[in-house]
Amino acid sequence: MRLKLKIWRQAGPGTAGRLVDYAADHVSPDMSFLEMLDVVNEGLVKQGHDAIAFDSDCREGICGMCGLVVNGIPHGPDRGTTVCQLHMRRFRDGDTIVIEPWRARAFPVVKDLVVDRSALDRIITAGGYVSVNCGGAPDGNAIPIAKEVSETAMDSAACIGCGACVAACKNASAHLFMSAKISHLSLLPQGQIERYRRVVAMIEQADAEGFGSCSNEGECEAVCPKEIPISNIARMTREYFRALWVGGR
Amino acid sequence: MSSRFGVFSSSVGTKILIGVTGVALFLYLVIHIAGNLIVFLGPAAFNRYAFVMEYGNPLLPVIEIGLLLIFLLHVYKAVTMFLANQQARPVAYVKKKYAGKPSRKSFASSTMIFSGLWLLFFIIIHVKAFRFSPEYPWPAGGRDLYRQEMENFVSPLTAGFYVLSMVVVGSHLWHGIASAFQSMGADHPKWTPRLLTTGKVIAVLMAGGFIVIALWAHFVGART
Ligand code: SF4
Ligand code: FES
């Protein structure tokens, strides 16, 4: 396959970036999207040019490190898929592909397609933890919890913190990410101690980081590689109501 | 939590307020259209209805002021949220596309701020025309609201403006009805999908109902 690529190049955080055209001429349909970029980079390095910077780690859709906006959709056209799990067979010979970084005030560009997502870490630090000593693995039946509840918690825990929800949202809101973490912890017995403090602290932190609010469009849910539903955002609001009622910290 | 009031300035608190005030305004709209449909029963019934609502109603000033405050809060919160959200993405995407199902994004959802501002403009003109304009007395008591309405719709320009504005109402409700419930944290595996559909149906019925009234007043009522 031969592809035309338009890739965002930006030297550093404060500088202006722009789309640069590249040709990818020897692309196999079996390659992953990131392997395709690796090949482009090899060519660039051979010619003595600067390689295109992009993030990745596990390359199997579980770590949340990768993240590119491919033709206007974070993580590309496939639903429930990280961009490292996107394959070139999804494209056709001669296609033009526009590749941009996550764009949000809270995610400053480090270089090219790499953005600083530590704002999400600070949201977790603000409340996404449990302070009970978990000790050894408890007996499965010792913690009474309904199957549907534990499954909903588990589905929320599947969030890999990639930030695609922020990238997709017209308001660059982190509500889906926060709501996944808050749902995961508030549904489980271990998360009860900080339950009310957590939701308030995480929301305050996200607002302070400069993420936007939520307009209930659900673009986030559509691009989330773990298909976290926006029903979690409604749950986060209910948790917020409860915290308000109980009085918070 | 620093204060219970400061909570409503957070991103989630803002949503809650816009949702709650939105539902209140929607409920008012339901009463409004129900009352307006009485126009089809003729001047006597319509003016009688207006009389009962306006003169036989000691709560009227409270309701009016309450409604105004709810309206202003809705507008204020929505505008400040919109401006803050604009700040959240200083560099725009070169290419951005609809992500596909299950996204609820629509033309209506993307233009809420514009439909809202249009309605703000419309409501000022509308309230001026029916609440703060010279009135005709009606012999049986109160004012001849029927005549006032028919005269309002004589001009094709006014009728056209009303019809267009009601399309905008429909658009605002198309996203707004279900969105308000989500904003208040109301979500249910079975009821939310139904609400999403019902909200759109109600939006169409509501806009359609008002449009029929405006067109009828222009083409039929104003000429008889
Ligand atoms: S909610 Fe989904 S899109 Fe958002 S950070 Fe988690 S995994 Fe990524
Ligand atoms: S590189 Fe780990 S999820 Fe893509």
Side-chain angles (χ1 to χ4, degrees):
Chain A
M1 293 166 81
R2 298 160 84 88
L3 298 166
K4 290 191 214 65
L5 306 175
K6 288 177 178 296
I7 302 180
W8 187 262
R9 303 297 311 255
Q10 182 171 339
T15 60
R18 64 190 181 97
L19 285 179
V20 178
D21 291 344
Y22 296 95
D25 289 337
H26 306 285
V27 177
S28 144
D30 295 332
M31 283 178 178
S32 79
F33 199 81
L34 300 187
E35 281 166 345
M36 181 274 293
L37 285 180
D38 287 338
V39 171
V40 171
N41 269 344
E42 266 175 31
L44 285 176
V45 170
K46 259 188 213 147
Q47 292 165 24
H49 295 305
D50 199 13
I52 301 155
F54 63 90
D55 259 330
S56 77
D57 191 1
C58 70
R59 297 210 174 186
E60 52 188 18
I62 55 170
C63 77
M65 204 52 201
C66 61
L68 302 171
V69 178
V70 178
N71 279 340
I73 301 179
H75 285 310
D78 285 342
R79 186 147 153 66
T81 309
T82 53
V83 73
C84 61
Q85 287 291 294
L86 176 65
H87 285 78
M88 297 318 293
R89 52 180 167 269
R90 192 66 172 70
F91 299 90
R92 260 171 298 149
D93 192 36
D95 275 1
T96 301
I97 307 177
V98 179
I99 308 170
E100 294 177 74
W102 286 176
R103 294 196 192 277
R105 181 152 73 107
F107 290 166
V109 171
V110 176
K111 187 172 190 285
D112 300 336
L113 303 167
V114 177
V115 298
D116 177 1
R117 282 169 291 184
S118 54
L120 296 184
D121 300 337
R122 289 189 290 274
I123 293 175
I124 293 293
T125 313
Y129 54 83
V130 292
S131 52
V132 286
N133 189 348
C134 292
D139 181 79
N141 295 323
I143 301 176
I145 177 162
K147 185 169 185 291
E148 313 84 73
V149 177
S150 72
E151 283 194 348
T152 310
M154 189 58 206
D155 288 346
S156 313
C159 165
I160 52 177
C162 62
C165 43
V166 177
C169 175
K170 67 173 178 189
N171 308 324
S173 167
H175 279 197
L176 191 67
F177 166 79
M178 292 139 68
S179 72
K181 303 299 171 193
I182 287 165
S183 294
H184 158 210
L185 294 171
S186 72
L187 287 167
L188 296 175
Q190 293 91 332
Q192 297 309 305
I193 297 169
E194 298 90 355
R195 182 169 176 179
Y196 303 116
R197 250 180 295 157
R198 172 184 306 119
V199 56
V200 175
M202 289 178 80
I203 290 169
E204 279 178 359
Q205 187 63 36
D207 290 352
E209 296 288 351
F211 291 106
S213 185
C214 167
S215 301
N216 305 323
E217 284 194 324
E219 286 281 283
C220 51
E221 175 176 344
V223 302
C224 173
K226 300 300 153 188
E227 302 181 65
I228 308 272
I230 60 171
S231 53
N232 280 319
I233 301 184
R235 184 180 294 104
M236 174 168 76
T237 306
R238 296 198 295 277
E239 289 295 313
Y240 196 60
F241 266 128
R242 277 199 198 97
L244 195 58
W245 191 252
V246 174
R249 48 177 168 248
Chain B
M1 205 172 308
S2 34
S3 83
R4 289 195 180 210
F5 195 71
V7 161
F8 288 107
S9 57
S10 75
S11 58
V12 177
T14 298
K15 268 182 79 171
I16 295 174
L17 280 186
I18 296 176
V20 171
T21 51
V23 167
L25 293 169
F26 169 70
L27 291 177
Y28 170 74
L29 214 54
V30 173
I31 299 170
H32 189 349
I33 197 168
N36 280 19
L37 289 171
I38 299 177
V39 82
F40 292 122
L41 301 179
F46 191 58
N47 289 339
R48 172 76 198 153
Y49 165 75
F51 177 74
V52 171
M53 291 300 259
E54 292 180 345
Y55 293 84
N57 188 354
L59 287 176
L60 186 70
V62 184
I63 295 173
E64 279 187 327
I65 292 172
L67 197 59
L68 178 69
L69 290 178
I70 289 172
F71 180 72
L72 290 178
L73 188 59
H74 189 75
V75 174
Y76 172 75
K77 273 292 177 187
V79 169
T80 49
M81 181 182 78
F82 173 76
L83 294 175
N85 286 342
Q86 295 295 97
Q87 306 277 310
R89 176 165 295 131
V91 182
Y93 286 104
V94 177
K95 185 168 182 182
K96 190 75 185 357
K97 251 180 33 199
Y98 170 61
K101 290 275 161 220
S103 169
R104 301 170 187 180
K105 190 186 178 98
S106 59
F107 174 78
S109 78
S110 312
T111 52
M112 288 302 273
I113 188 71
F114 305 111
S115 54
L117 290 176
W118 179 290
L119 293 178
L120 170 63
F121 173 65
F122 166 76
I123 285 166
I124 293 171
I125 292 176
H126 178 54
V127 170
K128 164 82 178 64
F130 287 98
R131 180 72 176 77
F132 299 105
S133 287
E135 296 166 357
Y136 306 103
W138 178 250
R143 55 167 162 157
D144 190 350
L145 187 63
Y146 186 88
R147 180 171 165 195
Q148 203 178 342
E149 176 170 341
M150 295 313 135
E151 286 186 358
N152 182 62
F153 283 108
V154 167
S155 147
L157 218 65
T158 311
F161 174 63
Y162 267 72
V163 168
L164 187 60
S165 298
M166 290 311 106
V167 173
V168 176
V169 166
S171 176
H172 205 70
L173 294 179
W174 181 270
H175 177 70
I177 294 175
S179 176
F181 284 90
Q182 166 80 5
S183 285
M184 294 187 298
D187 173 79
H188 188 272
K190 204 163 86 198
W191 291 101
T192 299
R194 291 178 187 178
L195 174 68
L196 283 163
T197 315
T198 314
K200 291 175 184 170
V201 171
I202 294 176
V204 172
L205 289 179
M206 194 75 103
F210 279 120
I211 289 172
V212 167
I213 295 171
L215 291 179
W216 180 83
H218 178 69
F219 288 110
V220 185
R223 288 157 206 233
T224 48

